[in-house]
Coordinates of all heavy atoms in Angstrom, one line a residue:
M1 N 112.2 124.9 106.8 CA 113.2 123.8 106.7 C 112.4 122.6 106.1 O 111.4 122.2 106.5 CB 113.7 123.4 108.1 CG 114.8 122.3 108.1 SD 115.4 122.1 109.7 CE 116.5 120.7 109.4
A2 N 113.0 121.9 105.1 CA 112.4 120.8 104.4 C 112.5 119.6 105.3 O 113.4 119.5 106.1 CB 113.2 120.6 103.1
L3 N 111.6 118.7 105.1 CA 111.5 117.5 105.9 C 112.8 116.6 105.5 O 113.3 115.9 106.4 CB 110.2 116.7 105.6 CG 109.9 115.5 106.4 CD1 109.9 115.8 107.9 CD2 108.6 114.9 105.9
Y4 N 113.1 116.6 104.3 CA 114.3 115.8 103.8 C 115.2 116.8 103.1 O 115.1 116.9 101.9 CB 113.9 114.7 102.9 CG 112.8 113.9 103.5 CD1 111.5 114.0 103.1 CD2 113.1 113.0 104.6 CE1 110.5 113.3 103.7 CE2 112.1 112.3 105.2 CZ 110.8 112.4 104.8 OH 109.8 111.7 105.4
P5 N 116.2 117.4 103.7 CA 117.0 118.4 103.1 C 118.0 117.9 102.0 O 118.4 118.7 101.2 CB 117.8 118.9 104.3 CG 117.8 117.9 105.4 CD 116.5 117.2 105.1
K6 N 118.3 116.6 101.9 CA 119.2 116.1 101.0 C 118.5 115.6 99.7 O 119.2 114.9 98.9 CB 120.1 115.0 101.5 CG 121.0 115.6 102.6 CD 122.0 114.5 103.2 CE 122.9 115.1 104.3 NZ 123.8 114.2 104.8
V7 N 117.3 115.8 99.6 CA 116.5 115.3 98.4 C 116.6 116.3 97.3 O 116.4 117.5 97.5 CB 115.0 115.1 98.8 CG1 114.2 114.8 97.6 CG2 114.9 114.0 99.9
T8 N 116.9 115.8 96.1 CA 117.0 116.7 95.0 C 115.6 117.2 94.5 O 114.6 116.5 94.9 CB 117.7 116.1 93.8 OG1 116.9 115.0 93.3 CG2 119.1 115.6 94.2
T9 N 115.5 118.1 93.6 CA 114.2 118.6 93.2 C 113.5 117.5 92.4 O 112.2 117.3 92.4 CB 114.3 119.8 92.3 OG1 115.2 119.6 91.2 CG2 114.8 121.0 93.1
E10 N 114.2 116.7 91.6 CA 113.6 115.6 90.8 C 113.1 114.5 91.8 O 112.0 114.0 91.5 CB 114.6 114.9 89.9 CG 115.1 115.8 88.8 CD 116.3 116.7 89.2 OE1 116.9 116.5 90.2 OE2 116.5 117.7 88.5
Q11 N 113.8 114.2 92.9 CA 113.3 113.3 93.8 C 112.1 113.8 94.5 O 111.1 113.0 94.8 CB 114.5 112.9 94.8 CG 115.6 112.2 94.2 CD 116.8 112.0 95.1 OE1 116.9 112.7 96.1 NE2 117.7 111.1 94.8
Q12 N 112.1 115.1 94.9 CA 111.0 115.7 95.6 C 109.8 115.6 94.7 O 108.6 115.4 95.1 CB 111.3 117.1 96.0 CG 110.2 117.7 96.8 CD 109.9 117.0 98.2 OE1 110.9 116.7 98.9 NE2 108.7 116.7 98.4
E13 N 109.9 115.9 93.4 CA 108.8 115.8 92.4 C 108.3 114.3 92.4 O 107.0 114.2 92.3 CB 109.3 116.2 91.0 CG 109.5 117.7 90.9 CD 110.1 118.1 89.7 OE1 110.4 117.3 88.8 OE2 110.4 119.3 89.5
A14 N 109.1 113.3 92.4 CA 108.7 112.0 92.4 C 107.9 111.7 93.7 O 106.8 111.0 93.6 CB 109.9 111.0 92.3
I15 N 108.3 112.1 94.8 CA 107.6 111.9 96.1 C 106.2 112.6 96.0 O 105.2 112.0 96.4 CB 108.4 112.5 97.2 CG1 109.7 111.7 97.4 CG2 107.6 112.5 98.5 CD1 110.7 112.3 98.4
D16 N 106.2 113.8 95.5 CA 104.9 114.6 95.4 C 104.0 113.9 94.5 O 102.7 113.8 94.7 CB 105.2 116.0 95.0 CG 105.9 116.8 96.1 OD1 105.9 116.4 97.3 OD2 106.5 117.8 95.7
E17 N 104.5 113.4 93.4 CA 103.6 112.7 92.4 C 103.1 111.4 93.0 O 101.9 111.0 92.8 CB 104.4 112.4 91.1 CG 103.6 111.7 90.0 CD 102.4 112.6 89.5 OE1 102.4 113.8 89.7 OE2 101.5 112.0 88.9
L18 N 103.9 110.6 93.7 CA 103.4 109.4 94.4 C 102.4 109.8 95.4 O 101.4 109.0 95.4 CB 104.6 108.7 95.1 CG 104.3 107.4 95.8 CD1 103.9 106.3 94.7 CD2 105.6 106.9 96.5
K19 N 102.5 110.8 96.1 CA 101.6 111.2 97.1 C 100.2 111.6 96.4 O 99.1 111.2 96.8 CB 102.0 112.4 97.9 CG 101.1 112.8 99.0 CD 101.7 113.9 99.9 CE 100.8 114.3 101.0 NZ 101.5 115.2 101.9
R20 N 100.3 112.4 95.3 CA 99.2 112.8 94.6 C 98.3 111.6 94.0 O 97.2 111.6 94.1 CB 99.6 113.8 93.4 CG 98.4 114.4 92.7 CD 98.8 115.2 91.5 NE 99.4 114.3 90.4 CZ 98.6 113.5 89.6 NH1 97.4 113.4 89.8 NH2 99.2 112.7 88.7
R21 N 99.1 110.7 93.4 CA 98.4 109.5 92.8 C 97.7 108.6 93.8 O 96.8 107.9 93.5 CB 99.4 108.7 92.0 CG 99.9 109.3 90.8 CD 100.8 108.4 90.1 NE 101.4 108.9 88.9 CZ 102.2 108.3 88.0 NH1 102.5 107.0 88.2 NH2 102.7 108.9 87.0
N22 N 98.2 108.5 95.1 CA 97.8 107.5 96.0 C 97.1 108.1 97.3 O 96.8 107.3 98.2 CB 99.0 106.6 96.4 CG 99.5 105.8 95.3 OD1 98.8 104.9 94.8 ND2 100.6 106.2 94.8
L23 N 96.9 109.4 97.3 CA 96.3 110.0 98.5 C 95.0 109.5 98.8 O 94.7 109.3 100.0 CB 96.3 111.5 98.3 CG 96.1 112.3 99.6 CD1 97.2 112.0 100.6 CD2 96.1 113.8 99.3
K24 N 94.2 109.2 97.9 CA 92.8 108.7 98.1 C 92.8 107.2 98.6 O 91.8 106.8 99.3 CB 91.9 108.8 96.9 CG 92.3 107.9 95.8 CD 91.5 108.2 94.6 CE 91.8 107.3 93.4 NZ 93.2 107.3 93.0
D25 N 93.9 106.5 98.3 CA 93.9 105.1 98.8 C 94.5 104.9 100.2 O 94.2 103.8 100.8 CB 94.8 104.3 97.7 CG 94.2 104.3 96.4 OD1 92.9 104.4 96.2 OD2 94.9 104.3 95.4
V26 N 95.3 105.8 100.6 CA 95.9 105.7 101.9 C 95.0 106.1 103.0 O 94.2 107.0 103.0 CB 97.1 106.7 101.9 CG1 97.9 106.6 103.3 CG2 98.1 106.3 100.8
T27 N 95.0 105.2 104.1 CA 94.1 105.4 105.2 C 94.7 106.6 106.0 O 95.8 107.0 106.0 CB 94.1 104.2 106.1 OG1 95.4 103.9 106.7 CG2 93.6 103.0 105.3
P28 N 93.8 107.2 106.8 CA 94.2 108.3 107.7 C 95.3 107.9 108.7 O 96.2 108.7 109.0 CB 92.9 108.7 108.5 CG 91.8 108.3 107.6 CD 92.3 107.0 106.8
K29 N 95.3 106.7 109.1 CA 96.3 106.2 110.1 C 97.7 106.2 109.4 O 98.7 106.5 110.0 CB 95.9 104.8 110.6 CG 96.8 104.2 111.6 CD 96.7 104.9 112.9 CE 97.4 104.1 113.9 NZ 97.4 104.8 115.2
M30 N 97.7 105.8 108.1 CA 99.0 105.8 107.4 C 99.5 107.2 107.1 O 100.7 107.4 107.1 CB 98.8 105.0 106.0 CG 98.6 103.5 106.3 SD 98.3 102.7 104.7 CE 99.8 102.9 103.9
L31 N 98.6 108.1 107.0 CA 98.9 109.5 106.7 C 99.6 110.2 107.9 O 100.2 111.2 107.7 CB 97.7 110.3 106.2 CG 97.3 110.2 104.8 CD1 96.0 110.9 104.5 CD2 98.4 110.5 103.9
E32 N 99.4 109.6 109.1 CA 100.1 110.2 110.3 C 101.6 110.1 110.1 O 102.3 110.8 110.8 CB 99.6 109.4 111.5 CG 98.2 109.7 111.9 CD 97.7 108.8 113.1 OE1 98.6 108.2 113.7 OE2 96.6 108.9 113.4
D33 N 102.1 109.1 109.3 CA 103.5 108.9 109.1 C 103.9 109.9 108.0 O 103.6 109.7 106.8 CB 103.8 107.5 108.7 CG 105.2 107.2 108.5 OD1 106.1 108.1 108.7 OD2 105.6 106.1 108.0
E34 N 104.7 110.9 108.4 CA 105.1 112.0 107.4 C 106.1 111.4 106.3 O 106.2 112.0 105.3 CB 105.7 113.2 108.1 CG 104.8 113.9 109.0 CD 105.5 115.0 109.8 OE1 106.7 115.1 109.7 OE2 104.8 115.7 110.6
S35 N 106.8 110.4 106.7 CA 107.8 109.8 105.8 C 107.3 108.8 104.8 O 108.1 108.1 104.1 CB 109.0 109.3 106.6 OG 108.6 108.2 107.3
L36 N 106.0 108.5 104.9 CA 105.5 107.4 104.1 C 105.9 107.4 102.7 O 106.5 106.4 102.1 CB 103.9 107.4 104.2 CG 103.2 106.3 103.4 CD1 103.4 104.9 104.1 CD2 101.7 106.6 103.3
F37 N 105.6 108.4 101.9 CA 105.8 108.5 100.5 C 107.3 108.6 100.2 O 107.8 108.0 99.2 CB 105.1 109.6 99.9 CG 103.6 109.5 100.1 CD1 102.9 110.3 101.0 CD2 102.9 108.6 99.3 CE1 101.5 110.1 101.2 CE2 101.5 108.4 99.5 CZ 100.8 109.2 100.4
Y38 N 108.1 109.2 101.1 CA 109.5 109.3 100.9 C 110.1 107.9 101.0 O 111.0 107.5 100.2 CB 110.1 110.2 102.0 CG 111.6 110.1 102.0 CD1 112.4 110.7 101.0 CD2 112.3 109.4 103.0 CE1 113.8 110.7 101.1 CE2 113.7 109.4 103.1 CZ 114.4 110.0 102.1 OH 115.8 109.9 102.1
R39 N 109.7 107.1 102.0 CA 110.3 105.8 102.2 C 110.1 104.9 101.0 O 110.9 104.1 100.6 CB 109.8 105.1 103.5 CG 110.3 105.8 104.8 CD 109.9 105.1 106.0 NE 108.5 105.2 106.2 CZ 107.6 104.3 106.3 NH1 107.9 103.0 106.0 NH2 106.3 104.5 106.5
F40 N 108.8 104.9 100.5 CA 108.5 104.0 99.4 C 109.3 104.5 98.1 O 109.7 103.7 97.3 CB 107.0 103.9 99.1 CG 106.3 103.0 100.1 CD1 105.8 103.5 101.3 CD2 106.2 101.7 99.8 CE1 105.2 102.6 102.1 CE2 105.6 100.8 100.6 CZ 105.1 101.2 101.8
S41 N 109.4 105.8 98.0 CA 110.1 106.3 96.8 C 111.6 106.0 96.9 O 112.2 105.5 95.9 CB 110.0 107.9 96.7 OG 108.7 108.2 96.5
K42 N 112.2 106.1 98.1 CA 113.6 105.9 98.2 C 113.9 104.4 98.1 O 114.9 104.0 97.6 CB 114.1 106.4 99.6 CG 115.6 106.2 99.8 CD 116.1 107.0 100.9 CE 117.5 106.7 101.2 NZ 118.4 107.6 100.6
A43 N 113.0 103.5 98.6 CA 113.2 102.1 98.5 C 113.3 101.6 97.1 O 113.9 100.6 96.8 CB 112.0 101.4 99.2
R44 N 112.7 102.4 96.1 CA 112.8 102.0 94.7 C 113.6 103.0 93.9 O 113.3 103.2 92.7 CB 111.3 101.9 94.1 CG 110.6 100.7 94.8 CD 111.3 99.4 94.4 NE 110.6 98.3 95.0 CZ 111.3 97.4 95.8 NH1 112.5 97.6 96.1 NH2 110.6 96.4 96.3
N45 N 114.5 103.7 94.6 CA 115.4 104.7 93.9 C 114.6 105.7 93.1 O 115.0 106.1 92.0 CB 116.4 104.0 93.0 CG 117.4 103.1 93.8 OD1 117.8 103.5 94.8 ND2 117.7 102.0 93.2
F46 N 113.5 106.1 93.7 CA 112.7 107.2 93.2 C 112.1 106.9 91.8 O 111.7 107.8 91.0 CB 113.4 108.6 93.2 CG 113.8 109.0 94.6 CD1 115.0 108.7 95.1 CD2 112.9 109.6 95.4 CE1 115.4 109.0 96.4 CE2 113.2 110.0 96.6 CZ 114.4 109.7 97.2
N47 N 112.0 105.6 91.5 CA 111.3 105.1 90.3 C 109.8 105.1 90.7 O 109.3 104.3 91.4 CB 111.8 103.7 89.9 CG 111.1 103.2 88.7 OD1 109.9 103.4 88.5 ND2 111.9 102.5 87.9
L48 N 109.1 106.0 90.0 CA 107.7 106.2 90.4 C 106.8 105.0 90.2 O 106.0 104.7 91.1 CB 107.2 107.4 89.6 CG 105.7 107.9 90.0 CD1 105.7 108.3 91.5 CD2 105.4 109.1 89.2
K49 N 107.0 104.3 89.1 CA 106.1 103.2 88.8 C 106.4 102.0 89.8 O 105.4 101.5 90.3 CB 106.5 102.7 87.4 CG 105.6 101.5 86.9 CD 105.9 101.2 85.5 CE 105.0 100.0 85.1 NZ 105.2 99.6 83.7
E50 N 107.6 101.7 90.1 CA 107.9 100.7 91.1 C 107.5 101.1 92.5 O 107.0 100.2 93.2 CB 109.4 100.4 91.1 CG 109.9 99.7 89.8 CD 111.4 99.4 89.8 OE1 112.1 99.7 90.8 OE2 111.9 99.0 88.7
A51 N 107.7 102.3 92.9 CA 107.3 102.8 94.2 C 105.8 102.7 94.3 O 105.3 102.3 95.4 CB 107.8 104.2 94.4
E52 N 105.1 103.1 93.3 CA 103.6 103.0 93.4 C 103.1 101.6 93.5 O 102.2 101.3 94.3 CB 103.0 103.7 92.1 CG 101.5 103.8 92.2 CD 101.0 104.6 91.0 OE1 101.6 104.9 90.0 OE2 99.7 105.0 91.1
T53 N 103.7 100.7 92.8 CA 103.3 99.3 92.8 C 103.6 98.7 94.3 O 102.7 98.1 94.8 CB 104.2 98.4 91.8 OG1 103.9 98.9 90.5 CG2 103.8 97.0 91.9
M54 N 104.7 99.1 94.8 CA 105.1 98.6 96.2 C 104.1 99.2 97.2 O 103.7 98.5 98.1 CB 106.5 99.1 96.5 CG 107.0 98.6 97.8 SD 108.7 99.1 97.9 CE 109.1 98.7 99.6
L55 N 103.8 100.5 97.1 CA 102.9 101.1 98.0 C 101.5 100.5 97.9 O 100.8 100.3 98.9 CB 102.8 102.6 97.7 CG 101.8 103.5 98.6 CD1 102.2 103.3 100.1 CD2 101.9 104.9 98.2
K56 N 101.0 100.2 96.7 CA 99.7 99.7 96.5 C 99.6 98.3 97.1 O 98.6 97.9 97.7 CB 99.3 99.6 95.1 CG 98.9 101.0 94.5 CD 98.4 100.8 93.1 CE 98.1 102.2 92.5 NZ 96.9 102.8 92.9
K57 N 100.7 97.5 97.0 CA 100.7 96.2 97.7 C 100.7 96.3 99.2 O 100.0 95.5 99.9 CB 102.0 95.4 97.3 CG 101.9 94.9 95.8 CD 103.2 94.1 95.5 CE 103.1 93.6 94.0 NZ 104.3 92.8 93.7
H58 N 101.3 97.3 99.7 CA 101.4 97.6 101.1 C 100.0 98.0 101.6 O 99.5 97.5 102.7 CB 102.4 98.7 101.4 CG 102.4 99.1 102.9 ND1 102.9 98.3 103.9 CD2 102.0 100.2 103.5 CE1 102.8 98.9 105.0 NE2 102.3 100.1 104.8
I59 N 99.3 98.8 100.9 CA 97.9 99.3 101.2 C 97.0 98.1 101.2 O 96.2 97.9 102.1 CB 97.4 100.4 100.2 CG1 98.3 101.7 100.5 CG2 96.0 100.6 100.4 CD1 98.1 102.7 99.4
D60 N 97.1 97.2 100.1 CA 96.2 96.0 100.1 C 96.5 95.1 101.3 O 95.5 94.5 101.8 CB 96.5 95.3 98.8 CG 96.0 96.0 97.6 OD1 95.2 97.0 97.7 OD2 96.4 95.7 96.4
F61 N 97.7 94.9 101.6 CA 98.1 94.1 102.8 C 97.4 94.6 104.0 O 96.8 93.9 104.9 CB 99.6 94.0 103.0 CG 100.0 93.3 104.2 CD1 100.1 91.9 104.3 CD2 100.3 94.0 105.4 CE1 100.5 91.3 105.5 CE2 100.7 93.4 106.6 CZ 100.8 92.0 106.6
R62 N 97.5 95.9 104.3 CA 97.0 96.5 105.5 C 95.4 96.4 105.6 O 94.8 96.2 106.6 CB 97.4 98.0 105.6 CG 98.8 98.2 105.9 CD 99.2 99.7 106.0 NE 98.6 100.2 107.2 CZ 99.1 100.3 108.4 NH1 100.3 99.8 108.6 NH2 98.5 100.9 109.4
K63 N 94.8 96.5 104.3 CA 93.3 96.3 104.3 C 92.9 94.9 104.6 O 92.0 94.6 105.3 CB 92.8 96.8 103.0 CG 92.8 98.3 102.9 CD 92.2 98.7 101.5 CE 92.3 100.3 101.4 NZ 91.9 100.7 100.0
E64 N 93.6 94.0 103.9 CA 93.3 92.5 104.1 C 93.4 92.1 105.5 O 92.6 91.3 106.0 CB 94.2 91.7 103.2 CG 94.0 90.2 103.2 CD 94.9 89.4 102.4 OE1 95.6 90.0 101.5 OE2 94.9 88.2 102.6
Y65 N 94.5 92.5 106.2 CA 94.7 92.1 107.6 C 94.2 93.1 108.6 O 94.5 92.9 109.8 CB 96.2 91.7 107.8 CG 96.6 90.5 107.0 CD1 97.2 90.6 105.8 CD2 96.3 89.2 107.5 CE1 97.5 89.4 105.1 CE2 96.6 88.1 106.8 CZ 97.2 88.2 105.6 OH 97.6 87.1 104.9
Q66 N 93.5 94.1 108.2 CA 92.8 95.1 109.0 C 93.8 95.7 110.1 O 93.6 95.8 111.3 CB 91.7 94.5 109.8 CG 90.6 93.9 108.8 CD 89.6 93.0 109.5 OE1 89.8 92.7 110.7 NE2 88.6 92.6 108.8
M67 N 95.0 96.1 109.6 CA 96.0 96.6 110.4 C 95.7 97.9 111.2 O 96.2 98.1 112.3 CB 97.3 96.9 109.6 CG 97.9 95.6 108.9 SD 98.3 94.3 110.0 CE 99.7 95.1 110.8
D68 N 94.8 98.7 110.6 CA 94.5 99.9 111.3 C 93.4 99.8 112.4 O 93.3 100.6 113.2 CB 94.0 101.0 110.3 CG 95.0 101.3 109.3 OD1 96.3 101.3 109.7 OD2 94.8 101.6 108.1
T69 N 92.7 98.6 112.4 CA 91.6 98.5 113.4 C 91.7 97.2 114.2 O 90.9 97.0 115.0 CB 90.2 98.4 112.6 OG1 90.2 97.3 111.7 CG2 90.0 99.7 111.9
I70 N 92.8 96.4 114.0 CA 92.9 95.2 114.7 C 92.9 95.3 116.3 O 92.3 94.5 116.9 CB 94.1 94.4 114.2 CG1 94.0 93.0 114.6 CG2 95.4 95.1 114.7 CD1 95.0 92.1 113.9
L71 N 93.5 96.3 116.8 CA 93.5 96.5 118.2 C 92.1 96.9 118.8 O 91.8 96.6 119.9 CB 94.6 97.5 118.6 CG 96.0 97.0 118.4 CD1 97.0 98.1 118.8 CD2 96.3 95.7 119.2
M72 N 91.4 97.7 118.0 CA 90.1 98.1 118.5 C 89.0 97.0 118.3 O 88.1 97.0 119.1 CB 89.7 99.4 117.8 CG 90.6 100.5 118.1 SD 90.2 102.0 117.1 CE 91.1 101.6 115.6
D73 N 89.1 96.2 117.3 CA 88.1 95.2 117.0 C 88.3 93.9 117.6 O 87.5 93.0 117.6 CB 88.0 95.0 115.4 CG 87.6 96.3 114.7 OD1 87.0 97.2 115.4 OD2 87.8 96.4 113.5
Y74 N 89.5 93.6 118.2 CA 89.8 92.3 118.7 C 89.0 92.0 120.0 O 89.0 92.8 120.9 CB 91.3 92.2 119.0 CG 91.7 90.9 119.6 CD1 91.7 89.8 118.8 CD2 92.0 90.8 121.0 CE1 92.1 88.5 119.4 CE2 92.4 89.6 121.5 CZ 92.4 88.5 120.7 OH 92.8 87.2 121.3
N75 N 88.4 90.8 120.0 CA 87.8 90.4 121.2 C 88.4 89.0 121.6 O 88.3 88.0 120.8 CB 86.3 90.1 120.9 CG 85.5 91.4 120.7 OD1 85.7 92.4 121.4 ND2 84.7 91.4 119.7
P76 N 89.0 89.0 122.8 CA 89.7 87.7 123.2 C 88.6 86.6 123.4 O 87.5 86.9 123.7 CB 90.3 88.1 124.5 CG 89.7 89.3 125.0 CD 89.1 90.0 123.8
P77 N 89.0 85.4 123.1 CA 88.1 84.2 123.3 C 87.7 84.2 124.8 O 88.4 84.5 125.7 CB 88.9 83.0 122.9 CG 90.0 83.5 122.2 CD 90.3 84.9 122.6
E78 N 86.4 83.7 125.0 CA 85.9 83.6 126.3 C 86.8 82.7 127.2 O 86.9 82.9 128.4 CB 84.5 83.1 126.3 CG 83.8 83.2 127.6 CD 82.3 82.8 127.5 OE1 81.7 83.0 126.4 OE2 81.8 82.2 128.5
V79 N 87.3 81.6 126.6 CA 88.1 80.7 127.3 C 89.3 81.4 128.0 O 89.6 81.1 129.1 CB 88.6 79.6 126.4 CG1 89.6 78.6 127.1 CG2 87.4 78.8 125.9
R80 N 89.9 82.3 127.3 CA 91.1 82.9 127.8 C 90.7 83.8 129.0 O 91.4 83.9 129.9 CB 91.7 83.8 126.7 CG 92.9 84.5 127.2 CD 93.5 85.4 126.2 NE 94.5 86.3 126.8 CZ 95.7 86.5 126.4 NH1 96.1 86.0 125.3 NH2 96.4 87.3 127.1
N81 N 89.6 84.5 128.8 CA 89.2 85.4 130.0 C 88.9 84.6 131.2 O 89.2 85.0 132.3 CB 87.9 86.2 129.5 CG 88.2 87.2 128.5 OD1 89.4 87.6 128.4 ND2 87.2 87.6 127.8
K82 N 88.3 83.4 131.1 CA 88.0 82.6 132.3 C 89.2 81.9 132.9 O 89.4 81.8 134.1 CB 86.9 81.6 132.0 CG 85.6 82.2 131.7 CD 84.5 81.1 131.5 CE 83.2 81.7 131.3 NZ 82.2 80.8 131.0
R83 N 90.1 81.4 132.0 CA 91.2 80.7 132.4 C 92.2 81.5 133.3 O 92.9 81.0 134.2 CB 91.9 80.1 131.2 CG 93.1 79.2 131.6 CD 93.7 78.5 130.4 NE 94.8 77.8 130.8 CZ 95.6 77.2 130.0 NH1 95.4 77.3 128.7 NH2 96.6 76.5 130.4
F84 N 92.4 82.7 132.9 CA 93.5 83.5 133.6 C 92.9 84.4 134.7 O 93.6 85.2 135.2 CB 94.2 84.3 132.5 CG 95.0 83.5 131.6 CD1 94.7 83.3 130.3 CD2 96.2 82.8 132.1 CE1 95.4 82.5 129.4 CE2 96.9 82.1 131.2 CZ 96.5 81.9 129.9
M85 N 91.7 84.2 135.1 CA 91.2 84.9 136.2 C 91.8 84.4 137.5 O 91.8 83.2 137.8 CB 89.7 84.9 136.3 CG 89.1 85.6 135.0 SD 87.4 86.1 135.2 CE 87.4 86.9 136.8
V86 N 92.4 85.2 138.3 CA 93.0 84.8 139.6 C 92.1 85.3 140.7 O 91.8 86.5 140.8 CB 94.4 85.4 139.7 CG1 95.0 85.0 141.0 CG2 95.3 85.0 138.5
P87 N 91.7 84.3 141.6 CA 90.9 84.8 142.8 C 91.7 85.7 143.6 O 93.0 85.6 143.8 CB 90.6 83.5 143.5 CG 90.9 82.4 142.5 CD 91.9 82.9 141.5
I88 N 91.1 86.7 144.2 CA 91.7 87.7 145.0 C 92.5 87.1 146.2 O 93.6 87.6 146.5 CB 90.7 88.8 145.5 CG1 90.2 89.5 144.2 CG2 91.4 89.8 146.4 CD1 89.1 90.5 144.6
M89 N 92.0 86.1 146.8 CA 92.6 85.5 148.0 C 94.0 84.9 147.7 O 94.8 84.7 148.6 CB 91.7 84.5 148.6 CG 91.4 83.3 147.8 SD 90.2 82.3 148.7 CE 90.4 80.8 147.8
Y90 N 94.3 84.6 146.4 CA 95.6 84.1 146.0 C 96.7 85.1 145.7 O 97.8 84.8 145.4 CB 95.5 83.1 144.8 CG 94.7 81.8 145.2 CD1 93.5 81.6 144.5 CD2 95.1 81.0 146.1 CE1 92.8 80.4 144.8 CE2 94.5 79.8 146.5 CZ 93.2 79.6 145.8 OH 92.6 78.4 146.1
I91 N 96.3 86.3 145.7 CA 97.3 87.3 145.4 C 98.0 87.8 146.6 O 97.4 88.1 147.6 CB 96.6 88.6 144.7 CG1 95.9 88.2 143.5 CG2 97.6 89.7 144.6 CD1 95.1 89.4 142.8
C92 N 99.3 87.6 146.6 CA 100.1 87.9 147.8 C 100.5 89.5 147.8 O 100.8 90.0 146.8 CB 101.5 87.2 147.8 SG 101.1 85.4 147.9
L93 N 100.4 90.1 148.9 CA 100.8 91.5 149.1 C 102.1 91.6 149.7 O 102.7 91.0 150.4 CB 99.7 92.2 149.9 CG 98.3 92.2 149.3 CD1 97.4 92.9 150.2 CD2 98.3 92.9 148.0

């Protein structure tokens, strides 16, 4: 069964070509999304050039703002850690 059963062969070829052209630029985290290339292709009516431009901008944005590693690399400021510490004797049971 195809992932997208209503996609024509021309549209599927556009999706495959977009994937082939950009596979090396996409992070492993982004590859977890099976619909990635389909969504960008469909957003630009399967126009390969426009979809590729849009995808490259998306990849650049994710790299610039470290979207794939932000949760692992984030260290809260020390002030926040000290300010919200609640002494055990103030916790009601």
Side-chain angles (χ1 to χ4, degrees):
M1 183 176 175
L3 187 57
Y4 309 105
K6 294 183 180 180
V7 173
T8 66
T9 55
E10 294 85 16
Q11 292 172 341
Q12 186 62 47
E13 289 171 3
I15 294 168
D16 294 339
E17 181 64 19
L18 182 64
K19 184 175 184 177
R20 187 189 63 76
R21 289 184 184 183
N22 295 289
L23 194 58
K24 66 183 180 311
D25 299 328
V26 178
T27 64
K29 184 73 173 173
M30 290 175 68
L31 282 175
E32 291 176 7
D33 182 7
E34 294 177 357
S35 66
L36 177 72
F37 300 104
Y38 170 76
R39 288 185 292 115
F40 280 93
S41 296
K42 183 163 174 94
R44 294 296 175 238
N45 293 325
F46 299 93
N47 181 321
L48 188 57
K49 185 177 180 181
E50 291 179 7
E52 186 173 14
T53 302
M54 185 178 170
L55 179 59
K56 286 187 184 282
K57 287 181 181 180
H58 178 71
I59 292 168
D60 292 341
F61 172 84
R62 290 182 68 91
K63 286 179 182 176
E64 181 181 345
Y65 291 99
Q66 303 169 350
M67 298 300 291
D68 296 328
T69 60
I70 195 166
L71 293 177
M72 293 174 279
D73 296 342
Y74 178 72
N75 292 318
E78 188 175 332
V79 173
R80 179 182 166 132
N81 289 339
K82 288 183 177 180
R83 183 175 178 190
F84 292 108
M85 294 201 47
V86 179
I88 295 176
M89 61 187 200
Y90 291 118
I91 298 175
C92 298
L93 299 175

